[in-house]
Amino acid sequence: MKSMDRTGQKLVSLRDAQNALAEGANRLLVCENAVVTPSARDFLAQHNITLVIGGKGNATAPAAQKAPTAAAYGNGAQPSRSASNAKLFYTPEAEVIKKEICAIGRKLWMRQFVDGNGGNISYRIGPNEVICTPTLVSKYDLTPEDLSLVDLEGNQIAGTKPRTSEIFLHLEIFKAQPEAKACVHCHPPHATAYAITGRVPPNLVIPEFEVFVGKVAISPYETPGTSAFAQTVLPYVKDHNTVLLANHGIICWADTVTHAEWYAEVLETYCWTLLIASQLGAPISHISEQKGSDLLAIKKRLGLPDVRFDTSNMKECQLSDLEVSSPIALTPGASECKPGGPTEADLEALVKSVTDAVMGALGTK
Ligand SMILES: [Zn+2]
Protein backbone atom coordinates (compact mmCIF):
# COMPACT_ATOMS: atom_id res chain seq x y z
CA MET A 1 0.00 0.00 0.00
CA LYS A 2 1.69 3.22 -1.14
CA SER A 3 0.48 6.66 -0.09
CA MET A 4 1.10 10.08 -1.53
CA ASP A 5 0.97 12.91 0.99
CA ARG A 6 -0.77 16.14 -0.01
CA THR A 7 -1.80 17.16 3.51
CA GLY A 8 0.16 20.39 3.19
CA GLN A 9 -2.18 21.64 0.43
CA LYS A 10 -5.49 23.42 0.72
CA LEU A 11 -6.43 22.62 -2.88
CA VAL A 12 -5.94 19.20 -4.41
CA SER A 13 -6.31 19.18 -8.17
CA LEU A 14 -6.38 16.74 -11.05
CA ARG A 15 -2.60 17.12 -11.38
CA ASP A 16 -2.12 15.79 -7.83
CA ALA A 17 -4.33 12.82 -8.67
CA GLN A 18 -2.37 12.18 -11.87
CA ASN A 19 0.92 12.38 -9.96
CA ALA A 20 -0.38 9.86 -7.45
CA LEU A 21 -1.09 7.45 -10.29
CA ALA A 22 2.28 8.13 -11.94
CA GLU A 23 4.05 7.29 -8.67
CA GLY A 24 2.05 4.10 -8.22
CA ALA A 25 0.27 5.33 -5.07
CA ASN A 26 -3.02 3.73 -4.12
CA ARG A 27 -3.88 6.31 -1.44
CA LEU A 28 -3.83 10.08 -1.58
CA LEU A 29 -3.64 11.75 1.82
CA VAL A 30 -5.24 15.18 2.12
CA CYS A 31 -5.93 17.40 5.11
CA GLU A 32 -9.37 17.68 6.70
CA ASN A 33 -10.25 21.03 5.14
CA ALA A 34 -8.76 20.47 1.70
CA VAL A 35 -10.91 21.23 -1.32
CA VAL A 36 -10.54 18.36 -3.77
CA THR A 37 -11.68 19.31 -7.26
CA PRO A 38 -14.41 17.21 -8.89
CA SER A 39 -12.05 16.12 -11.68
CA ALA A 40 -9.46 15.00 -9.13
CA ARG A 41 -12.10 12.95 -7.31
CA ASP A 42 -13.23 11.51 -10.58
CA PHE A 43 -9.71 10.53 -11.60
CA LEU A 44 -8.98 8.94 -8.22
CA ALA A 45 -12.19 6.90 -8.30
CA GLN A 46 -11.51 5.85 -11.87
CA HIS A 47 -8.02 4.59 -10.98
CA ASN A 48 -8.95 2.98 -7.68
CA ILE A 49 -6.89 5.42 -5.63
CA THR A 50 -8.41 5.97 -2.19
CA LEU A 51 -8.80 9.54 -1.03
CA VAL A 52 -7.83 9.66 2.64
CA ILE A 53 -9.20 12.76 4.30
CA GLY A 54 -7.61 13.55 7.64
CA GLY A 55 -3.97 13.29 6.73
CA LYS A 56 -0.93 11.41 7.99
CA GLY A 57 -1.29 8.52 10.42
CA ASN A 58 -5.00 8.41 9.75
CA ALA A 59 -4.88 6.54 6.54
CA THR A 60 -7.51 4.00 7.45
CA ALA A 61 -9.93 6.46 9.03
CA PRO A 62 -13.55 6.16 7.85
CA ALA A 63 -13.16 9.71 6.59
CA ALA A 64 -11.78 8.06 3.48
CA GLN A 65 -15.35 7.26 2.49
CA LYS A 66 -16.57 10.81 2.91
CA ALA A 67 -18.65 12.23 0.10
CA PRO A 68 -17.29 15.41 -1.47
CA THR A 69 -18.25 18.56 0.33
CA ALA A 70 -20.93 20.74 -1.14
CA ALA A 71 -18.33 23.49 -1.39
CA ALA A 72 -16.39 21.42 -3.90
CA TYR A 73 -19.32 21.64 -6.27
CA GLY A 74 -20.81 24.91 -5.17
CA ASN A 75 -24.28 23.39 -5.22
CA GLY A 76 -25.26 24.04 -1.62
CA ALA A 77 -26.10 20.40 -1.00
CA GLN A 78 -25.76 18.83 2.43
CA PRO A 79 -23.15 16.18 3.22
CA SER A 80 -24.22 12.60 2.61
CA ARG A 81 -25.87 10.68 5.45
CA SER A 82 -25.08 7.21 4.18
CA ALA A 83 -22.14 5.75 2.33
CA SER A 84 -22.27 5.98 -1.42
CA ASN A 85 -20.20 4.29 -4.05
CA ALA A 86 -18.63 6.62 -6.60
CA LYS A 87 -17.15 3.65 -8.45
CA LEU A 88 -20.61 2.75 -9.77
CA PHE A 89 -20.22 5.71 -12.13
CA TYR A 90 -17.48 3.90 -14.08
CA THR A 91 -18.98 0.42 -14.40
CA PRO A 92 -19.95 -1.06 -17.79
CA GLU A 93 -23.61 -0.79 -16.70
CA ALA A 94 -23.16 2.92 -16.02
CA GLU A 95 -21.62 3.45 -19.46
CA VAL A 96 -24.70 1.88 -21.09
CA ILE A 97 -27.04 4.03 -18.97
CA LYS A 98 -25.06 7.20 -19.76
CA LYS A 99 -25.45 6.55 -23.50
CA GLU A 100 -29.16 5.90 -23.07
CA ILE A 101 -29.58 9.16 -21.13
CA CYS A 102 -27.80 11.10 -23.90
CA ALA A 103 -29.97 9.48 -26.60
CA ILE A 104 -33.12 10.31 -24.63
CA GLY A 105 -31.93 13.87 -24.11
CA ARG A 106 -31.59 14.27 -27.85
CA LYS A 107 -35.07 12.76 -28.37
CA LEU A 108 -36.57 15.25 -25.91
CA TRP A 109 -34.94 18.16 -27.72
CA MET A 110 -35.90 16.89 -31.19
CA ARG A 111 -39.52 16.57 -30.09
CA GLN A 112 -39.44 20.08 -28.62
CA PHE A 113 -40.10 18.78 -25.12
CA VAL A 114 -37.21 20.87 -23.76
CA ASP A 115 -35.90 24.33 -24.52
CA GLY A 116 -32.63 26.07 -23.66
CA ASN A 117 -31.04 23.98 -20.95
CA GLY A 118 -34.45 22.83 -19.66
CA GLY A 119 -35.43 19.33 -18.62
CA ASN A 120 -33.47 16.67 -16.79
CA ILE A 121 -33.03 12.91 -16.75
CA SER A 122 -31.93 10.53 -14.02
CA TYR A 123 -31.35 6.83 -13.37
CA ARG A 124 -30.98 5.11 -10.00
CA ILE A 125 -27.98 2.84 -10.51
CA GLY A 126 -27.48 1.84 -6.86
CA PRO A 127 -29.40 1.99 -3.59
CA ASN A 128 -27.89 5.41 -2.83
CA GLU A 129 -26.55 6.41 -6.26
CA VAL A 130 -28.27 8.22 -9.12
CA ILE A 131 -26.80 9.19 -12.50
CA CYS A 132 -28.22 12.50 -13.70
CA THR A 133 -27.86 15.24 -16.28
CA PRO A 134 -25.83 18.37 -15.51
CA THR A 135 -27.13 21.88 -15.12
CA LEU A 136 -26.87 24.39 -17.99
CA VAL A 137 -26.41 21.91 -20.85
CA SER A 138 -28.91 21.54 -23.70
CA LYS A 139 -30.30 18.02 -23.79
CA TYR A 140 -29.42 17.91 -27.51
CA ASP A 141 -25.71 18.38 -26.77
CA LEU A 142 -25.34 15.88 -23.93
CA THR A 143 -22.33 13.53 -23.95
CA PRO A 144 -21.64 10.75 -21.40
CA GLU A 145 -18.79 12.86 -19.98
CA ASP A 146 -21.30 15.60 -19.03
CA LEU A 147 -23.25 13.39 -16.63
CA SER A 148 -22.96 13.31 -12.85
CA LEU A 149 -23.45 10.83 -10.04
CA VAL A 150 -25.25 11.98 -6.90
CA ASP A 151 -26.31 10.29 -3.69
CA LEU A 152 -29.93 10.26 -2.54
CA GLU A 153 -29.39 13.51 -0.64
CA GLY A 154 -28.26 15.29 -3.80
CA ASN A 155 -24.53 15.43 -3.04
CA GLN A 156 -22.45 15.01 -6.17
CA ILE A 157 -20.09 12.08 -5.81
CA ALA A 158 -18.69 11.79 -9.35
CA GLY A 159 -18.67 13.63 -12.66
CA THR A 160 -17.02 16.92 -13.51
CA LYS A 161 -20.06 19.06 -14.37
CA PRO A 162 -22.37 20.22 -11.55
CA ARG A 163 -25.55 18.16 -11.41
CA THR A 164 -28.96 19.61 -12.31
CA SER A 165 -30.51 21.82 -9.66
CA GLU A 166 -33.80 19.96 -10.15
CA ILE A 167 -32.36 16.63 -9.01
CA PHE A 168 -34.25 16.83 -5.70
CA LEU A 169 -37.54 16.32 -7.56
CA HIS A 170 -36.18 13.05 -8.97
CA LEU A 171 -34.69 11.98 -5.63
CA GLU A 172 -38.00 12.41 -3.80
CA ILE A 173 -39.58 10.09 -6.35
CA PHE A 174 -36.83 7.48 -5.98
CA LYS A 175 -37.15 7.59 -2.20
CA ALA A 176 -40.97 7.39 -2.19
CA GLN A 177 -41.48 4.90 -5.02
CA PRO A 178 -39.05 1.95 -5.03
CA GLU A 179 -40.39 0.85 -8.44
CA ALA A 180 -39.02 4.04 -9.97
CA LYS A 181 -35.60 3.49 -11.52
CA ALA A 182 -35.63 6.39 -13.96
CA CYS A 183 -37.16 9.86 -14.14
CA VAL A 184 -37.61 12.23 -17.08
CA HIS A 185 -38.60 15.83 -16.47
CA CYS A 186 -39.44 18.07 -19.43
CA HIS A 187 -41.68 20.88 -20.66
CA PRO A 188 -43.71 19.52 -23.61
CA PRO A 189 -45.95 22.39 -24.81
CA HIS A 190 -49.37 20.71 -24.95
CA ALA A 191 -49.07 18.90 -21.63
CA THR A 192 -47.61 22.07 -20.12
CA ALA A 193 -50.66 23.96 -21.44
CA TYR A 194 -52.73 21.78 -19.10
CA ALA A 195 -50.23 22.38 -16.30
CA ILE A 196 -50.54 26.17 -16.61
CA THR A 197 -54.33 26.05 -16.50
CA GLY A 198 -54.42 23.71 -13.51
CA ARG A 199 -56.39 21.15 -15.52
CA VAL A 200 -55.81 17.49 -16.30
CA PRO A 201 -56.90 15.64 -19.45
CA PRO A 202 -59.96 13.34 -19.24
CA ASN A 203 -59.78 9.55 -19.52
CA LEU A 204 -61.21 6.88 -21.81
CA VAL A 205 -60.49 8.61 -25.09
CA ILE A 206 -57.41 6.77 -26.46
CA PRO A 207 -56.41 3.24 -25.34
CA GLU A 208 -52.65 3.78 -25.33
CA PHE A 209 -53.00 6.66 -22.92
CA GLU A 210 -55.18 4.57 -20.59
CA VAL A 211 -52.66 1.76 -20.47
CA PHE A 212 -49.37 3.66 -20.25
CA VAL A 213 -50.38 6.77 -18.32
CA GLY A 214 -54.03 6.69 -17.21
CA LYS A 215 -55.00 9.25 -14.64
CA VAL A 216 -52.65 12.21 -14.55
CA ALA A 217 -52.14 14.08 -11.30
CA ILE A 218 -51.21 17.75 -11.02
CA SER A 219 -48.93 18.95 -8.24
CA PRO A 220 -49.08 22.53 -6.91
CA TYR A 221 -46.59 25.18 -8.04
CA GLU A 222 -43.37 25.76 -6.10
CA THR A 223 -40.09 27.42 -7.05
CA PRO A 224 -38.04 24.93 -9.12
CA GLY A 225 -34.92 23.58 -7.46
CA THR A 226 -36.23 23.96 -3.90
CA SER A 227 -37.02 21.06 -1.59
CA ALA A 228 -40.60 22.39 -1.31
CA PHE A 229 -40.87 21.94 -5.10
CA ALA A 230 -39.43 18.43 -4.90
CA GLN A 231 -41.97 17.42 -2.29
CA THR A 232 -45.01 18.61 -4.26
CA VAL A 233 -45.11 15.29 -6.15
CA LEU A 234 -45.04 13.05 -3.09
CA PRO A 235 -48.82 12.56 -2.73
CA TYR A 236 -49.00 11.28 -6.32
CA VAL A 237 -45.98 9.13 -7.10
CA LYS A 238 -47.33 5.89 -5.66
CA ASP A 239 -50.34 5.74 -8.00
CA HIS A 240 -49.24 7.89 -10.95
CA ASN A 241 -46.22 7.42 -13.21
CA THR A 242 -46.82 10.85 -14.76
CA VAL A 243 -47.46 14.11 -12.93
CA LEU A 244 -48.20 17.55 -14.34
CA LEU A 245 -46.21 20.20 -12.45
CA ALA A 246 -48.36 23.33 -12.18
CA ASN A 247 -46.97 26.29 -14.17
CA HIS A 248 -43.90 24.28 -15.10
CA GLY A 249 -43.99 20.99 -17.05
CA ILE A 250 -44.19 17.27 -16.35
CA ILE A 251 -42.28 14.45 -14.66
CA CYS A 252 -42.53 10.76 -15.52
CA TRP A 253 -40.96 7.78 -13.79
CA ALA A 254 -40.48 4.21 -15.03
CA ASP A 255 -38.23 1.17 -14.85
CA THR A 256 -35.95 2.58 -17.57
CA VAL A 257 -35.09 6.01 -18.94
CA THR A 258 -36.48 4.96 -22.31
CA HIS A 259 -39.85 4.01 -20.81
CA ALA A 260 -40.08 7.22 -18.74
CA GLU A 261 -39.61 9.18 -21.98
CA TRP A 262 -42.32 7.08 -23.65
CA TYR A 263 -44.79 8.21 -21.01
CA ALA A 264 -43.86 11.83 -21.69
CA GLU A 265 -44.52 11.19 -25.41
CA VAL A 266 -47.83 9.44 -24.73
CA LEU A 267 -49.05 12.26 -22.47
CA GLU A 268 -47.91 15.03 -24.81
CA THR A 269 -49.49 13.43 -27.88
CA TYR A 270 -52.71 12.81 -25.96
CA CYS A 271 -52.95 16.43 -24.79
CA TRP A 272 -52.18 17.65 -28.31
CA THR A 273 -54.81 15.38 -29.86
CA LEU A 274 -57.46 16.52 -27.37
CA LEU A 275 -56.69 20.16 -28.13
CA ILE A 276 -56.95 19.56 -31.88
CA ALA A 277 -60.19 17.59 -31.44
CA SER A 278 -61.67 20.43 -29.42
CA GLN A 279 -61.42 22.61 -32.54
CA LEU A 280 -63.43 20.26 -34.77
CA GLY A 281 -66.78 21.39 -33.44
CA ALA A 282 -67.95 17.86 -32.66
CA PRO A 283 -68.12 16.17 -29.27
CA ILE A 284 -65.37 13.71 -28.36
CA SER A 285 -66.63 10.15 -28.11
CA HIS A 286 -65.47 8.05 -25.20
CA ILE A 287 -64.52 4.41 -24.81
CA SER A 288 -67.20 2.60 -22.80
CA GLU A 289 -66.54 1.82 -19.16
CA GLN A 290 -66.75 -1.89 -19.95
CA LYS A 291 -64.00 -1.59 -22.56
CA GLY A 292 -62.14 0.71 -20.19
CA SER A 293 -62.03 -2.10 -17.62
CA ASP A 294 -60.36 -4.30 -20.23
CA LEU A 295 -57.67 -1.64 -20.67
CA LEU A 296 -57.16 -1.42 -16.92
CA ALA A 297 -56.74 -5.20 -16.79
CA ILE A 298 -54.03 -4.97 -19.46
CA LYS A 299 -52.38 -2.24 -17.46
CA LYS A 300 -52.41 -4.32 -14.31
CA ARG A 301 -50.79 -7.20 -16.17
CA LEU A 302 -48.03 -4.86 -17.32
CA GLY A 303 -47.37 -3.91 -13.70
CA LEU A 304 -48.05 -0.21 -14.25
CA PRO A 305 -49.52 1.90 -11.42
CA ASP A 306 -53.01 3.40 -11.59
CA VAL A 307 -55.04 5.08 -8.90
CA ARG A 308 -58.11 3.27 -10.27
CA PHE A 309 -56.72 -0.11 -9.14
CA ASP A 310 -57.78 0.83 -5.65
CA THR A 311 -61.16 -0.88 -5.49
CA SER A 312 -62.47 1.55 -2.88
CA ASN A 313 -61.88 4.28 -5.45
CA MET A 314 -63.40 2.18 -8.22
CA LYS A 315 -66.52 1.29 -6.28
CA GLU A 316 -68.27 4.58 -6.49
CA CYS A 317 -66.23 6.43 -9.06
CA GLN A 318 -66.78 6.34 -12.74
CA LEU A 319 -63.91 5.01 -14.80
CA SER A 320 -64.45 7.80 -17.22
CA ASP A 321 -64.79 11.48 -16.62
CA LEU A 322 -67.92 12.03 -18.63
CA GLU A 323 -69.53 13.71 -15.69
CA VAL A 324 -67.35 16.82 -15.81
CA SER A 325 -68.12 19.97 -17.67
CA SER A 326 -65.28 20.28 -20.21
CA PRO A 327 -64.72 17.50 -22.74
CA ILE A 328 -60.94 18.08 -22.83
CA ALA A 329 -59.96 19.48 -19.44
CA LEU A 330 -60.87 18.42 -15.95
CA THR A 331 -60.44 19.97 -12.57
CA PRO A 332 -57.98 17.62 -10.86
CA GLY A 333 -59.73 15.02 -8.77
CA ALA A 334 -63.13 16.04 -10.18
CA SER A 335 -64.16 12.48 -10.75
CA GLU A 336 -62.68 10.99 -7.62
CA CYS A 337 -64.94 9.82 -4.83
CA LYS A 338 -64.81 11.41 -1.44
CA PRO A 339 -65.65 9.43 1.66
CA GLY A 340 -69.19 9.89 2.94
CA GLY A 341 -70.94 9.90 -0.40
CA PRO A 342 -71.59 12.74 -2.80
CA THR A 343 -71.71 16.30 -1.49
CA GLU A 344 -74.10 19.00 -2.65
CA ALA A 345 -71.34 20.39 -4.87
CA ASP A 346 -70.85 16.93 -6.40
CA LEU A 347 -74.56 16.65 -7.20
CA GLU A 348 -74.56 20.12 -8.67
CA ALA A 349 -71.55 19.24 -10.83
CA LEU A 350 -73.29 16.04 -11.90
CA VAL A 351 -76.46 17.88 -12.93
CA LYS A 352 -74.36 20.41 -14.84
CA SER A 353 -72.31 17.73 -16.57
CA VAL A 354 -75.39 15.76 -17.63
CA THR A 355 -76.91 18.96 -18.99
CA ASP A 356 -73.68 19.76 -20.82
CA ALA A 357 -73.45 16.25 -22.24
CA VAL A 358 -77.01 16.44 -23.52
CA MET A 359 -76.43 19.89 -24.98
CA GLY A 360 -73.19 18.67 -26.52
CA ALA A 361 -74.95 15.67 -28.07
CA LEU A 362 -77.58 17.98 -29.52
CA GLY A 363 -74.81 20.07 -31.04
CA THR A 364 -75.97 23.20 -29.26
CA LYS A 365 -72.75 23.73 -27.33
ZN1 LIG B 1 -38.25 22.19 -15.42
Side-chain angles (χ1 to χ4, degrees), residues 118-120 166 185-187 224 229 245 248-250:
N120 27 77
E166 282 179 347
H185 162 60
C186 55
H187 313 143
F229 168 61
L245 309 168
H248 187 153
I250 70 169

Side-chain angles (χ1 to χ4, degrees), residues 190-191 193-195 197-203 205 209 244 267 270-286 321-322 324-331 365:
H190 300 88
Y194 279 83
T197 53
R199 298 300 162 110
V200 294
N203 285 93
V205 179
F209 180 77
L244 291 171
L267 174 63
Y270 188 65
C271 292
W272 193 359
T273 307
L274 284 170
L275 287 163
I276 294 171
S278 71
Q279 295 164 9
L280 295 179
I284 291 171
S285 59
H286 284 72
D321 297 296
L322 293 170
V324 295
S325 55
S326 165
I328 64 157
L330 311 182
T331 307
K365 193 164 170 272

